[in-house]
Amino acid sequence: MFQRLSRSLRTASAVALLTVTTFAAAQGMRGDHPDTYVVVRGDTLWGIAGRFLDKPWLWPEIWQANPQIANPHLIYPGDVISLAYLNRVTLQPGPRPETIAPIDAISLADIEPFLKNRSIVFSFDELPYVLGAEDTRLRGSLDRNIYVTGLDNAQPGQRYAVIRPATEFYGARRSRDLDYRGKRVHGEGNLWRDTIPKLNGQDAFLGYEIVQMGVATVLRGPTPDSEATTLVLDDNGFEARPGDRLTPVNPQPYDLQFFPHPPSADAVAADARILAVADALITGGPRDVIAISAGHQQGVDNGTVFSVWRGGPHSVDRVRHPNTSRITDAPNPGSRRNRMPDEYAAHAMVFRTFDHVSYALVMEGEKPAQVGYRLKHPDATY
């Protein structure tokens, strides 16, 4: 009987060990993962997930939310993260004074301008706009008055964001810079350089990118001598010029509390591409921001992780056609060309979404991400 019991225990232990090992392998646990980790200031959720997982976007699959905590998904400096049974990750909360903030999914410094100052809209012509600036200056600046039309009912003390239409995104055109009227102009300085030449064979309008240039406070409304409303610019921005639009200040324009996770089936099916790379570049590496051609209408949300792929070019077979004059590598198929495989470049995580455009941060990768590259499931192998 003892031998049978011993064999049963050994069998049960082996099955349990196999279950744990299989689960760990399925979740991609790092071989050098810690048993416990104390969260410190400056940590990011992506970085912590990377300590335990080869694939940080699988974090929600191993996270064991603690129902005793007010918000079980938030992680604070001082919290102790432990690896529990079946490689589930649990949290022991540390001291949490009112002044302490939860950690962000990614570094706020890398994306702050895109959280505070940029958004995507489909129209802006109906908004109030700047007519001129104090002393007939070309541009208003700190502590200078600006004069606005369309704010007849504004009250003294109300605050407005001064925004500027900067770019219009299309699925199958270059991006277009906009002038002070919000009309197209070529050559104007811009954060983006160009967009992909073709997207799903369509020339779809994806939205206008709006940049917040400053914040202004209403001093007084129209007077008997003038129909313009007077506002003064404060130090929360840069400048204002004729044609800039105004919208009420959004006290909470973004939320960074999200978990990295794989995309939904709809998001993968959207076959999104990189529309543009920040800082007037066409390629970007880790910690560069990209705009992609999919938003929450396509099932993309904050924390969605994609892999970025270079589409395989169509190359001439030089063995069979040594004397051809055709381009060696071309984006489109043609006579005597063979399609090469797609090539993995990097991973990127979405941090802000709009209807049909999202901003994402390039994470780790093997090569730069470039305008026109395709976005796939993060586990894609081809």
Side-chain angles (χ1 to χ4, degrees):
M1 180 175 178
F2 176 78
Q3 290 179 342
R4 288 198 301 271
L5 178 61
S6 178
R7 284 197 298 271
S8 299
L9 288 174
R10 287 199 300 270
T11 302
S13 299
V15 170
L17 179 61
L18 179 61
T19 302
V20 171
T21 304
T22 303
F23 188 90
Q27 304 307 311
M29 297 295 296
R30 289 176 59 100
D32 58 349
H33 64 75
D35 293 328
T36 61
Y37 178 75
V38 180
V39 181
V40 299
R41 290 183 184 273
D43 274 341
T44 64
L45 183 53
W46 181 275
I48 291 175
R51 291 177 178 272
F52 290 89
L53 295 168
D54 290 320
K55 302 174 180 179
W57 54 89
L58 294 180
W59 182 259
E61 297 185 24
I62 70 167
W63 175 252
Q64 183 67 54
N66 190 334
Q68 282 74 43
I69 301 175
N71 190 333
H73 296 286
L74 299 186
I75 300 175
Y76 292 78
D79 290 350
V80 180
I81 297 175
S82 301
L83 201 61
Y85 177 67
L86 286 183
N87 284 346
R88 302 289 288 180
V89 173
T90 61
L91 181 144
Q92 178 65 39
R96 296 185 176 181
E98 293 183 359
T99 56
I100 195 171
I103 65 171
D104 297 317
I106 47 184
S107 173
L108 183 62
D110 293 328
I111 60 175
E112 192 168 23
F114 292 85
L115 294 170
K116 289 185 174 181
N117 301 329
R118 295 187 178 267
S119 58
I120 306 294
V121 301
F122 276 93
S123 64
F124 54 82
D125 286 337
E126 72 282 2
L127 297 175
Y129 60 89
V130 177
L131 288 171
E134 183 179 345
D135 297 329
T136 63
R137 294 172 180 265
L138 296 178
R139 298 172 188 262
S141 56
L142 175 63
D143 294 332
R144 296 284 182 174
N145 293 344
I146 57 174
Y147 309 116
V148 175
T149 184
L151 278 180
D152 297 348
N153 298 320
Q155 300 299 313
Q158 288 182 329
R159 288 165 58 78
Y160 286 85
V162 180
I163 62 175
R164 181 173 302 168
T167 309
E168 55 181 358
F169 285 132
Y170 282 85
R173 295 182 187 167
R174 296 169 61 87
S175 64
R176 298 181 185 274
D177 297 333
L178 303 176
D179 66 10
Y180 69 95
R181 302 165 300 166
K183 306 301 182 183
R184 296 174 184 172
V185 63
H186 295 282
E188 180 97 356
N190 193 327
L191 179 71
W192 310 111
R193 180 167 179 179
D194 55 37
T195 58
I196 63 177
K198 190 175 183 180
L199 178 66
N200 297 334
Q202 299 179 357
D203 191 17
F205 175 61
L206 302 179
Y208 297 103
E209 183 180 61
I210 301 296
V211 181
Q212 180 174 312
M213 304 305 299
V215 177
T217 303
V218 175
L219 292 179
R220 56 183 173 272
T223 67
D225 298 325
S226 172
E227 298 178 354
T229 299
T230 302
L231 299 88
V232 61
L233 288 163
D234 63 25
D235 58 356
N236 288 321
F238 307 102
E239 62 175 20
R241 71 182 184 190
D244 286 347
R245 269 63 176 184
L246 279 82
T247 60
V249 169
N250 185 350
Q252 189 175 357
Y254 60 89
D255 182 8
L256 258 188
Q257 305 307 326
F258 54 85
F259 283 92
H261 59 271
S264 66
D266 288 342
V268 174
D271 191 24
R273 309 293 180 91
I274 296 179
L275 285 171
V277 180
D279 298 327
L281 302 174
I282 59 173
T283 60
R287 302 302 180 264
D288 281 330
V289 174
I290 57 176
I292 68 172
S293 63
H296 57 74
Q297 292 289 342
Q298 290 76 39
V300 178
D301 60 350
N302 286 344
T304 296
V305 179
F306 290 101
S307 57
V308 180
W309 293 73
R310 175 182 183 244
H314 294 80
S315 298
V316 172
D317 186 339
R318 294 294 181 181
V319 174
R320 293 186 177 181
H321 311 288
N323 299 320
T324 184
S325 60
R326 293 183 178 275
I327 299 174
T328 301
D329 291 320
N332 301 317
S335 175
R336 302 177 182 177
R337 292 185 187 142
N338 297 305
R339 175 73 153 79
M340 301 293 105
D342 291 350
E343 298 173 354
Y344 166 75
H347 280 88
M349 181 165 65
V350 172
F351 61 83
R352 196 172 190 195
T353 64
F354 299 91
D355 283 349
H356 301 288
V357 176
S358 298
Y359 294 126
L361 187 70
V362 179
M363 310 306 288
E364 79 282 346
E366 297 179 357
K367 59 186 70 175
Q370 185 168 315
V371 168
Y373 281 17
R374 174 173 290 170
L375 302 176
K376 302 183 181 183
H377 192 283
D379 292 333
T381 57
Y382 61 91

